[in-house]
Amino acid sequence: MNVNDSITCKKIHENITNKQLAFEWETIDWNQAEQFVNRIQIRITKAVIAGKHNLVKRLQYLLTNSFYAKALSVKRVTTNKGKNTPGIDGITWNNTFEKMQAGYRLSNRNYKSKPLKRVYIEKYGKAEKRPLSIPTMYDRAMQALHLLSLDPIAETTAEKVSFGFRKYRSTHDAMSHIFNLMAKKNSAPWVLEGDIKGCFDNIQHKWLMDNIPMNKRILNKFLNAGYVFNKELFPTDSGTPQGGTISPTLANMTLDGIERSIAEKYWMNGKGKIDKKHKNHKKINFIRFADDFIVTATDKETLVEIQSIIESFLLQRGLMLSQEKTLITHISEGFDFLGWNFRKRKIKLIITPSKKSIKKIIAGISQTIKTNKTLEPYMLG
């Protein structure tokens, strides 16, 4: 199979049996597929750094029309946790011949996404439920395919202090970064705890269409698919659906730039570059994980100013801060972030699991015991 040729227009003739399709899928060299995709992604990264936007578009087209990228996209959506959760069409790809067939059929040509299946899941400790929108398997694979071409751009332009929904980064990296910033004797004592209200649901579509560097027609289809709840179709006028493969990256790219907007006021030198080392007298630092963030400073008044800067930044994207969850706190009182509590006692920074996290673990253990009363105690472990 020639991987350099587009498989988009290949027809699946009736004489190609399911057995033949299954054999083709089982004999794909996945190492070679990943190497092929990685080579193009590296070229995209270099083109982004060099500012060659037309080359970026050509490489994205090459990648999204390659067979190996399509096969990897199908593999991703058929091996993750949601592989057995169907969309509105009730279809899942459980057999190898179905996966190969899907790989052949993925195409940008005449693509139209189907409405999302809306379900509501419980939020721990709250009466309100979180909306989750589930695309069909085909739409998930299409999102995964275009994510392969968008990822190298997102990673190249991302802020270094962004830790959520990124490869090789985790909550522990964010915790370590906070410790390095706040564990010193002379670290900034004031903290702005920020939470963006309904981030995924409220991002302005116009901003995404104007600023996300990917196929605009395909992006428009993803954003305006609509959703079905109780057999009724609703439009999606804003936001990027929670449950979509590409949604976390779109949200990250929307929020990238908060640190720079702060820098423009407090530590931008005359050459238009961030100069924290010599100009950051107020010890302002920004850390973000998805739509949660903190900002440190030497005084409360500075954080009030920074909060207004962030609000202006978010307003341009159709977003706003949650008034209930956005707080300015002194480190001696402590604050919760990503399931931990950070508090300074005299000169020592103490990091412990938050009370909410402990309650959640205890509730989970209690539920396990209640639902397995007939088991021997040693079997519960």
Side-chain angles (χ1 to χ4, degrees), residues 264-286:
E264 288 174 354
K265 180 174 177 63
Y266 293 101
W267 15 273
M268 188 74 75
N269 63 23
K271 297 179 181 179
K273 294 183 179 180
I274 296 174
D275 188 5
K276 288 185 182 180
K277 188 173 181 180
H278 297 98
K279 291 206 170 188
N280 194 11
H281 305 303
K282 295 190 176 183
K283 299 177 183 176
I284 299 166
N285 290 285
F286 175 78

Side-chain angles (χ1 to χ4, degrees), residues 150-193:
L150 186 61
D151 247 346
I153 303 173
E155 284 298 313
T156 305
T157 59
E159 293 174 329
K160 292 181 180 179
V161 291
S162 169
F163 294 93
F165 302 123
R166 295 181 65 188
K167 288 182 180 178
Y168 315 118
R169 292 191 172 211
S170 66
T171 54
H172 286 81
D173 294 315
M175 179 187 70
S176 177
H177 189 68
I178 294 171
F179 179 83
N180 291 335
L181 291 175
M182 307 196 73
K184 300 171 186 175
K185 290 182 181 179
N186 59 347
S187 296
W190 287 94
V191 180
L192 168 64
E193 307 169 58

Side-chain angles (χ1 to χ4, degrees), residues 178 181-183 187-194 282-287 292-304 306-307 310 325-337 341-344 349:
I178 294 171
L181 291 175
M182 307 196 73
S187 296
W190 287 94
V191 180
L192 168 64
E193 307 169 58
K282 295 190 176 183
K283 299 177 183 176
I284 299 166
N285 290 285
F286 175 78
I287 304 101
D292 296 322
F293 64 86
I294 65 167
V295 188
T296 68
T298 55
D299 57 89
K300 188 174 182 179
E301 292 71 22
T302 300
L303 291 179
V304 172
I306 289 174
Q307 181 174 339
I310 295 173
K325 298 180 182 179
T326 301
L327 307 168
I328 297 177
T329 313
H330 195 274
I331 190 61
S332 61
E333 298 175 11
F335 66 94
D336 292 345
F337 189 64
N341 178 263
F342 299 81
R343 177 175 293 188
K344 210 164 193 177
L349 181 66

